[in-house]
Amino acid sequence: MTWSACMVGDLVTSGEAEVKTGPFGTQLRASDYVDEGTPVINVRNIGFGGIRKEKLEFIADETVQRLSSHLLKSGDIVFGRKGAVERHVFIRDEQNAWFQGSDCLRLRLVSESRVLARFLSYVFLTKAHQFWMMQQCSHGATMASLNQDIIKRIQLSLPPLTTQRHIASILSTYDDLIENNTRRIAILEEMARRLYEEWFVKFRFPGHEEVSFVDDDEVGRHPNDWERKTLKDYIELAYGKALKASDRVQGPYPVFGSSGVVGSHNNYLVEGPGIIVGRKGNVGSVHWTDESFCPIDTVYYVKTKLPLEYVFFNLQHQNFINNDAAVPGLNRNQAYSLPFLRPSDTILDAFKEHAARLYELIRLLQRKNTNLRAQRDLLLPKLVSGQIDVSEVELPGTEEAAA
């Protein structure tokens, strides 16, 4: 089997590809953004092959029409110009007609007569490519910067189209299973959230028809036999410990900041499962982990004798206030003074049992995804470089095969 070598620039010169910079700042203004509309991919939304949907922004139809040449199509590959040069987004069918942000570059294959866009995306996911991009884009700058010329200099080693298609099919099968499991996890998490709200916000828990209620000025109407005190009576918000990125040794334990997982370490401070609450930065954010973990000094971690499943959702409904004037953050005394409703043991135990079943399914799917990612990441560089023959690779037929 013969592989051919070329650069992205060769594809551009031959008319098989085009590279386009996003709209200039004067073209896409702050006033063009709206609450709902066409989603815009900016540099913060660029992951490793996929879109990071946190903090997505949107533009209105009239802006899309005015700048229609920057609409994305299925198969487009989007890079960030600043700070995310080793990452990219591959635009899937369901993301067709999203919009290219001002701080992005787009690579579009006009013809797939020599290379498939999906195969190209997998090449860009290899560590070798990412290392090359960082080398080309840094040049001593404080923030790596990407331009069209660098993209055109990317070297490619291309097998025949049939082989590219087979490689892309194998790797896409893994990604599709991961995506399907991820959607199922989101559904299960939503089921747990709705169960909490049904029982503890709307008070439609099993047997609620037989319970007498009392009115309370702070927490409103609630069952008479549920205890209402303050958060401090049931929960301790313990301080995390400073752990600089330079002091971390990559390992199996997640490191939590107020935005969530910010790294890993070879040792842990708190045995899981656990709950983390943002103290600085994302004040009042609430995170769950099944694993033992390291909370850094921008967060609190929860100590309590109550079921963690109940506490996790209760804290999400608390009115945490960013009121530390000197250094914005969550004041622990203010948090401790918040009202806290403790349900009866019978209801707490029943909720824990229901929630535990949902979280066990979530953990099972997460383990499957971990295995799928490990298998895919092992295969990816070997397949796109020709180190292994695609005919020797079996597709993961079912989710169970990756368990």
Side-chain angles (χ1 to χ4, degrees):
M1 181 174 63
T2 304
W3 290 51
S4 60
C6 73
M7 292 192 299
V8 170
D10 297 329
L11 300 173
V12 174
T13 300
S14 66
E16 297 170 83
E18 63 178 25
V19 182
K20 186 176 182 63
T21 305
F24 295 110
T26 54
Q27 294 177 295
L28 187 59
R29 303 175 295 268
S31 58
D32 292 325
Y33 289 95
V34 294
D35 292 335
E36 295 183 1
T38 298
V40 180
I41 297 178
N42 287 303
V43 67
R44 64 173 168 270
N45 306 119
I46 295 178
F48 289 97
I51 296 173
R52 295 175 172 175
K53 295 184 179 181
E54 297 80 7
K55 298 183 180 179
L56 266 178
E57 294 181 310
F58 305 87
I59 54 175
D61 290 345
E62 54 266 27
T63 307
V64 172
Q65 294 170 4
R66 177 167 57 87
L67 300 172
S68 59
S69 65
H70 296 285
L71 272 174
L72 297 169
K73 296 181 179 179
S74 176
D76 283 350
I77 296 174
V78 184
F79 303 90
R81 292 196 300 115
K82 296 281 187 180
V85 299
E86 79 281 18
R87 307 199 301 264
H88 76 278
V89 166
F90 177 79
I91 301 300
R92 296 171 175 264
D93 291 342
E94 66 270 18
Q95 295 150 353
N96 189 42
W98 284 38
F99 198 81
Q100 175 187 1
S102 301
D103 52 1
C104 294
L105 290 161
R106 181 188 76 206
L107 172 61
R108 173 176 292 170
L109 291 179
V110 180
S111 166
E112 291 189 317
S113 60
R114 196 177 350 174
V115 58
L116 301 178
R118 195 70 181 105
F119 174 81
L120 203 56
S121 173
Y122 284 120
V123 171
F124 294 161
L125 286 176
T126 62
K127 296 295 183 185
H129 167 78
Q130 293 166 13
F131 179 74
W132 184 88
M133 291 286 277
M134 290 300 296
Q135 280 190 316
Q136 299 299 310
C137 299
S138 296
H139 297 299
T142 55
M143 180 178 290
S145 179
L146 183 63
N147 57 47
Q148 291 194 30
D149 289 337
I150 293 174
I151 292 178
K152 291 176 182 178
R153 292 203 305 270
I154 296 173
Q155 295 275 353
L156 301 173
S157 181
L158 304 175
L161 284 177
T162 53
T163 303
Q164 291 183 40
R165 191 170 290 110
H166 196 173
I167 291 171
S169 176
I170 291 170
L171 297 172
S172 294
T173 300
Y174 281 95
D175 285 337
D176 291 344
L177 286 171
I178 292 169
E179 179 63 26
N180 183 53
N181 287 343
T182 301
R183 285 194 295 266
R184 292 175 64 188
I185 288 169
I187 291 170
L188 290 167
E189 290 174 337
E190 178 66 10
M191 289 173 63
R193 185 189 66 80
R194 290 191 178 187
L195 181 67
Y196 174 88
E197 292 183 351
E198 186 74 8
W199 286 25
F200 304 114
V201 177
K202 299 176 182 178
F203 298 118
R204 292 201 287 255
F205 49 86
H208 69 276
E209 304 91 344
E210 309 300 324
V211 173
S212 61
F213 285 74
V214 62
D215 291 320
D216 187 293
D217 291 338
E218 289 192 82
V219 298
R221 184 172 177 266
H222 64 82
N224 187 48
D225 61 341
W226 292 15
E227 195 172 50
R228 203 278 287 173
K229 292 187 177 180
T230 64
L231 190 143
K232 185 179 182 180
D233 293 310
Y234 301 106
I235 292 172
E236 178 185 351
L237 296 176
Y239 287 99
K241 305 294 183 184
L243 183 60
K244 296 179 181 178
S246 58
D247 294 332
R248 299 169 197 164
V249 179
Q250 188 171 356
Y253 304 107
V255 176
F256 273 89
S258 62
S259 60
V261 177
V262 295
S264 68
H265 195 46
N266 65 345
N267 204 347
Y268 64 89
L269 176 67
V270 183
E271 188 172 349
I275 300 171
I276 301 94
V277 179
R279 187 174 72 89
K280 302 287 185 183
N282 291 337
V283 173
S285 58
V286 183
H287 307 281
W288 172 282
T289 178
D290 287 304
E291 305 166 282
S292 298
F293 62 101
C294 296
I296 62 174
D297 53 0
T298 60
V299 302
Y300 300 111
Y301 64 94
V302 169
K303 293 182 177 182
T304 183
K305 294 181 180 179
L306 296 178
L308 287 178
E309 294 84 356
Y310 173 76
V311 172
F312 175 66
F313 289 107
N314 182 286
L315 292 178
Q316 292 181 55
H317 284 77
Q318 291 288 355
N319 184 29
F320 292 125
I321 299 174
N322 184 353
N323 64 353
D324 193 336
V327 180
L330 176 60
N331 183 286
R332 189 163 65 161
N333 288 333
Q334 183 272 332
Y336 277 161
S337 68
L338 293 170
F340 189 95
L341 193 61
R342 186 199 187 284
S344 65
D345 288 339
T346 302
I347 298 302
L348 270 180
D349 290 343
F351 178 76
K352 180 179 180 179
E353 182 180 347
H354 283 287
R357 284 199 294 265
L358 294 174
Y359 277 102
E360 182 55 38
L361 290 173
I362 289 171
R363 283 190 287 271
L364 175 62
L365 292 170
Q366 288 172 335
R367 287 195 296 270
K368 288 183 176 182
N369 272 359
T370 297
N371 290 336
L372 286 165
R373 290 189 182 98
Q375 293 173 29
R376 178 203 60 191
D377 293 347
L378 183 65
L379 283 173
L380 190 152
K382 295 179 180 180
L383 283 172
V384 301
S385 65
Q387 292 180 46
I388 57 175
D389 191 327
V390 292
S391 63
E392 299 175 357
V393 180
E394 293 184 6
L395 290 175
T398 64
E399 296 169 70
E400 285 71 26

